[in-house]
């Protein structure tokens, strides 16, 4: 038996998020600049290398794999990778294979994803207003995404909607988005905007809408019950008693969730980030490419986990950007 991955703070690492591309067919304002320069193809791990790396993590005890990006479904041949990962579901080593997507390609791929054993998808959707959607995603078109969500439902996938809470942008849609999710049978999670990438500091503070405020607004309209559910990540959940809906809040900036952190993040170039809010990373591409044997790779993964920090440094508390990150979310894969 291979010993599972346990970090120095006794946290078992059971969840790997993998960014399979830095590219995207959208240019969301809080995520990317309009004119991005993407990585040259030679820098990217091939689909075979991604398979080897993820399989090594599964061998070391990772039970949940979330595929993200960039937009994972724009990577050419990505279904080959999903098919490869489905073998770990079949053996029972992997408990969940899932993805976070902007939904634009779901009409094309939902059926195949379901065949590969994917049961749930997270779709990012900040507004149900077509003009606002085009504004916030720059290149996205709402009808295409709504049709993708429909295709996912038809394929039997559960859809969770992730909405970034943006002050002055979707504040007025808190309840309409909630009602739409209830009618469509989707769970809904709100995400606080994080200080990523190179947007000007003023822009970010302008966009910041505290989820405490969002929660208070729910409490003004519904009876809300805190749910004990924990996922090892920054999400907290409440139930709206009148509708039975579960609403999630991801507040990496205002709450400390690090003590239960069970996850690490792999970029499309094979960098392993032990914490979303810290710069430290381990290069796994070199040991991967140095040998076809996985011993060096496994040793590099173990050595990286030993460096997992206790917590992150994000801090908006003094209306200044503390612990600011220079990486884009599309690089570490949100
Ligand atoms: N393209 C896919 C998508 O949009 O779902 C997957 C990658 S995207 C980087 C993952 C998640 O990160 C999305 O839900 C997106 O809204 C969120 N995100 C991106 N930039 C963010 C930021 N600065 N603050 C908070 N969430 C952000
Ligand atoms: Fe693309 Fe997702 Fe970033 Fe939007 S949030 S630009 S869809 S990677």
């Amino acid at each position: 038996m291979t010993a599972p991955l346990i970090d120095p703070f006794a946290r078992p690492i059971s969840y790997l998020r993998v960014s399979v591309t830095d590219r995207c067919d959208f240019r969301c304002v809080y995520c990317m600049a309009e004119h991005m320069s993407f990585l040259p193809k030679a820098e990217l791990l091939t689909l075979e290398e991604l398979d080897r790396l993820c399989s090594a993590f599964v061998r070391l005890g990772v039970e949940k794999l979330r595929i993200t990006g960039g937009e994972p479904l724009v990577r050419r041949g990505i279904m080959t990778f999903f098919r490869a990962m489905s073998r770990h579901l079949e053996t029972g080593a992997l408990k969940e294979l899932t993805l976070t997507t902007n939904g634009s390609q779901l009409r094309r791929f939902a059926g195949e994803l379901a065949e590969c054993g994917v049961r749930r998808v997270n779709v990012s959707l900040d507004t149900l207003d077509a003009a606002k959607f085009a504004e916030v995603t720059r290149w996205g078109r709402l009808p295409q995404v709504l049709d993708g969500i429909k295709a996912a439902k038809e394929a039997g996938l559960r859809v969770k909607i992730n909405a970034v809470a943006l002050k002055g942008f979707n504040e007025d849609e808190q309840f309409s988005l909630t009602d739409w999710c209830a009618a469509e049978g989707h769970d809904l999670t709100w995400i606080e905007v994080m200080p990523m990438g190179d947007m000007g500091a003023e822009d970010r503070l302008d966009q910041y809408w505290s989820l405490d405020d969002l929660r208070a607004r729910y409490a003004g309209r519904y009876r809300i019950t805190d749910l004990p559910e924990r996922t090892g990540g920054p999400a907290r959940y409440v139930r709206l008693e009148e509708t039975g809906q579960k609403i999630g809040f991801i507040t990496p900036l205002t709450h400390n969730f690090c003590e239960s952190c069970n996850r690490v993040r792999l970029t499309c170039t094979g960098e392993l980030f032990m914490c979303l809010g810290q710069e430290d990373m381990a290069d796994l591409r070199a040991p991967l490419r140095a040998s076809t044997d996985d011993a060096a790779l496994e040793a590099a993964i173990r050595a990286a986990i030993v460096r997992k920090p206790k917590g992150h440094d994000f801090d908006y508390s003094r209306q200044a950007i503390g612990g600011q990150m220079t990486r884009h979310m599309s690089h570490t894969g949100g």
Side-chain angles (χ1 to χ4, degrees):
M1 236 341 247
T2 328
L5 295 173
I6 313 265
D7 82 357
F9 304 95
R11 297 169 297 193
I13 306 305
S14 56
Y15 181 9
L16 177 66
R17 297 171 76 103
V18 187
S19 172
V20 294
T21 178
D22 61 333
R23 286 165 199 258
C24 187
D25 51 347
F26 291 3
R27 291 288 182 280
C28 302
V29 294
Y30 45 73
C31 179
M32 290 193 185
E34 182 149 23
H35 303 286
M36 294 285 290
S37 36
F38 293 109
L39 294 163
K41 220 172 147 217
E43 296 269 315
L44 294 193
L45 299 178
T46 64
L47 295 174
E48 294 74 18
E49 287 171 332
L50 278 169
D51 180 351
R52 251 183 87 195
L53 248 173
C54 293
S55 298
F57 274 98
V58 171
R59 259 196 321 279
L60 296 175
V62 160
E63 297 183 329
K64 179 170 173 182
L65 208 53
R66 177 174 293 282
I67 312 308
T68 175
E71 173 47 41
L73 297 181
V74 302
R75 169 117 193 213
R76 188 167 303 154
I78 193 62
M79 285 303 137
T80 310
F81 173 72
F82 275 98
R83 285 214 180 274
M85 289 304 103
S86 71
R87 74 181 186 276
H88 299 306
L89 289 172
E90 282 158 22
T91 64
L94 192 62
K95 304 274 184 287
E96 187 172 25
L97 175 60
T98 180
L99 74 153
T100 300
T101 173
N102 65 26
S104 70
Q105 308 301 314
L106 276 175
R107 169 60 64 193
R108 209 166 130 210
F109 292 123
E112 242 177 307
L113 287 168
E115 277 169 33
C116 293
V118 173
R119 296 285 166 259
R120 302 191 302 160
V121 289
N122 286 2
V123 181
S124 304
L125 180 64
D126 305 329
T127 170
L128 288 168
D129 177 299
K132 280 160 78 180
F133 187 86
E135 185 192 330
V136 76
T137 63
R138 291 201 189 96
W139 295 5
R141 295 298 168 257
L142 181 66
Q144 188 182 347
V145 170
L146 294 180
D147 183 56
I149 292 173
K150 191 159 162 258
K153 268 177 89 173
E154 287 163 8
L157 302 177
R158 269 198 73 77
V159 175
K160 190 183 87 177
I161 301 297
N162 280 343
V164 177
L166 297 165
K167 191 172 176 181
F169 179 76
N170 55 8
E171 273 179 281
D172 58 339
E173 288 189 75
Q174 176 174 350
F175 296 125
S176 51
L177 201 57
T178 304
D179 293 345
W180 178 79
C181 286
E184 297 292 322
H186 309 316
D187 285 333
L188 171 62
T189 289
W190 293 94
I191 309 176
E192 224 165 47
V193 74
M194 287 188 271
M196 292 287 189
D198 58 4
M199 285 186 294
E202 266 176 47
D203 286 353
R204 265 193 316 277
L205 289 174
D206 271 0
Q207 292 178 322
Y208 178 68
W209 174 21
S210 147
L211 295 199
D212 287 339
D213 182 45
L214 226 133
R215 200 192 136 93
R217 292 187 198 192
Y218 274 123
R221 180 163 161 177
Y222 301 94
R223 277 182 302 125
I224 63 175
T225 307
D226 285 307
L227 299 177
E229 196 171 323
R230 295 284 180 270
T231 56
R236 296 288 178 265
Y237 298 92
V238 300
R239 190 172 48 238
L240 309 182
E241 293 300 344
E242 285 78 357
T243 65
Q245 250 176 307
K246 192 171 87 170
I247 306 286
F249 300 98
I250 299 189
T251 55
L253 304 174
T254 48
H255 292 279
N256 194 335
F257 57 91
C258 305
E259 68 282 355
S260 59
C261 183
N262 59 357
R263 59 200 58 194
V264 287
R265 294 176 159 78
L266 184 69
T267 71
C268 55
T269 56
E271 297 165 328
L272 187 72
F273 283 90
M274 282 67 82
C275 171
L276 181 63
Q278 302 272 0
E279 297 283 359
D280 187 33
M281 61 88 179
D283 171 33
L284 297 181
R285 191 178 59 186
L288 184 73
R289 290 188 174 168
S291 155
T292 52
D293 177 87
D294 283 344
L297 176 62
E298 285 190 13
I301 293 173
R302 288 191 187 283
I305 298 302
V306 169
R307 298 198 333 243
K308 186 168 162 68
K310 194 168 179 197
H312 64 62
D313 297 329
F314 285 133
D315 180 13
Y316 270 178
S317 53
R318 288 179 306 279
Q319 286 290 293
I321 308 290
Q324 186 188 327
M325 301 297 306
T326 50
R327 306 193 299 273
H328 283 271
M329 283 288 265
S330 53
H331 183 64
T332 14

